[in-house]
Amino acid sequence: MAATFLAFGAACREAGMPLEWMLACCLFVYGMPGQMVLLGVPGLPGVLGATVANARFLPLAIALAPYLGSRGWIAAPFIAVTPWAVAMRVVPGLHPGLGLPWFLGCGMISWGLGAATALVGFAVAASLPTAARPALLFANTLYFALLIGADLVRPAARPAVIGGMLAAPIAMMLPPALGLLLAGLVGGTAAWFWQRR
């Protein structure tokens, strides 16, 4: 995640965006696809695109909500893929009253780390090799691929991982806005039926 935010800070500097804009984007959008949409598409279309890109956090929030209690809504700004992935491994095993404080701690550290490393990227943009920037942006994707691969050994998670892998070609065949959503629906539904059986 730090590598991805570092690359984002460098990309903002290269695009001529002010430091304040870059920090606001990291702290208030806090989701790399949404941040990249805002960087590449100016004005209202960019805001709408970032909103749609970050709508993917809604299912994450719904999955995490039962472990956060009645005041779980205060964790909403910190729900992003990295803290969510870590939380779904830890929070279900915690005492019911500890889920929200644990997630807030994890989420705030992740949020702060993202902004701090984006600042570093903004500062060192000129010294980063041109080829390194896109590679750093994809470091987070590799991290999630490794996390998902590790879940293959967990019997409870195995159907979801395999269902997602088998449904992935759907995402490649359809337009991006529809393909990922449909692949998730098909793969998730298949995994649910597999687990029920």
Side-chain angles (χ1 to χ4, degrees), residues 158-173 183-184 186-188 190-191 194:
R158 194 174 298 133
V161 173
I162 293 172
M165 288 170 37
L166 293 176
I170 295 171
M172 304 304 287
M173 292 186 291
V186 169
W194 179 3

Side-chain angles (χ1 to χ4, degrees), residues 56 103 150:
R56 65 201 165 99
F103 182 77

Side-chain angles (χ1 to χ4, degrees), residues 145-156:
L146 293 172
L147 269 181
I148 290 168
D151 276 341
L152 282 170
V153 300
R154 295 174 46 215

Side-chain angles (χ1 to χ4, degrees), residues 16-45:
M17 298 309 240
L19 177 66
E20 300 80 13
W21 184 93
M22 186 267 307
L23 269 178
C25 194
C26 290
L27 296 173
F28 298 116
V29 178
Y30 188 48
M32 193 52 62
Q35 289 171 224
M36 292 304 291
V37 168
L38 274 180
L39 180 60
V41 182
L44 184 59

Side-chain angles (χ1 to χ4, degrees), residues 172-195:
M172 304 304 287
M173 292 186 291
L174 297 171
L178 183 62
L180 192 57
L181 182 64
L182 192 57
L185 183 64
V186 169
T189 303
W192 185 82
F193 278 114
W194 179 3
Q195 249 178 348

Side-chain angles (χ1 to χ4, degrees), residues 57-72:
F57 296 146
L58 181 60
L60 305 184
I62 291 169
L64 191 59
Y67 306 109
L68 301 182
S70 60
R71 294 182 54 228

